[in-house]
Amino acid sequence: MAMTFGTGSLALVTLGVATTLLISERPGHGPAGPRQDLIAPEVPAGLAASLVDGDGSEVRLSWSANRTDPDLVGYVVYRSDRPEGGFRCITAEPVLTTAFVDDDAPEGRETFYRVAARDASRNDSALSARTSVRTLASSDAPDQHETALNAGI
């Protein structure tokens, strides 16, 4: 007796007293359908943070490219106000490059960042090592108008 299910087939073969179950499948497919990618990408390395020039409240992040995962779709950025945890995702979609500007960083405090790589199957790597930067309070940020006037004197 043979039965076909979607892309594969199942056959029960009886030879004498022994019964054998044969399952045939297409490459890349199992009895339950396509095989799922369950392997997370490599953890991003080299995460660094700095203040954007001329603005004490925007943070520029950069990290090394992940070149080992062919199905990489981008990077997900996390932020916390504590070094030991509480990291929350701040990117709605994966970042396609190895840089990101956080224009919504909390003012006047040290902020901590970590990054994860994401693949096409939505597997996220473990979080990268953390980095931090202290943003300026709005009263401490350089006044662009005043700076321009002083530069001309």
Side-chain angles (χ1 to χ4, degrees):
M1 173 173 85
M3 300 171 68
T4 301
F5 300 99
T7 60
S9 64
L10 179 69
L12 216 50
V13 178
T14 303
L15 300 171
V17 288
T19 301
T20 305
L21 178 65
L22 301 174
I23 300 173
S24 69
E25 55 185 82
R26 293 189 337 207
H29 287 71
R35 290 188 187 143
Q36 292 182 345
D37 173 10
L38 301 175
I39 300 172
E42 294 290 321
V43 177
L47 179 61
S50 62
L51 295 178
V52 173
D53 292 337
D55 188 338
S57 65
E58 290 184 343
V59 176
R60 176 179 291 118
L61 300 169
S62 62
W63 55 90
S64 300
N66 180 327
R67 301 195 190 285
T68 61
D69 296 294
D71 63 339
L72 185 77
V73 295
Y75 303 91
V76 186
V77 179
Y78 292 81
R79 178 178 65 206
S80 177
D81 58 357
R82 301 184 333 250
E84 67 277 357
F87 286 87
R88 293 182 165 215
C89 181
I90 61 171
T91 51
E93 295 293 324
V95 177
L96 303 178
T97 64
T98 58
F100 176 77
V101 174
D102 182 5
D103 56 4
D104 197 30
E107 290 184 9
R109 61 165 41 152
E110 187 171 18
T111 304
F112 301 88
Y113 294 91
R114 297 177 89 177
V115 176
R118 179 171 289 168
D119 69 15
S121 296
R122 296 193 55 82
N123 296 313
D124 284 357
S125 71
L127 295 177
S128 68
R130 73 174 182 261
T131 190
S132 68
V133 66
R134 180 172 295 281
T135 56
L136 301 176
S138 57
S139 60
D140 295 336
D143 182 355
Q144 295 299 321
H145 181 67
E146 183 179 314
T147 302
L149 289 176
N150 289 338
I153 296 178

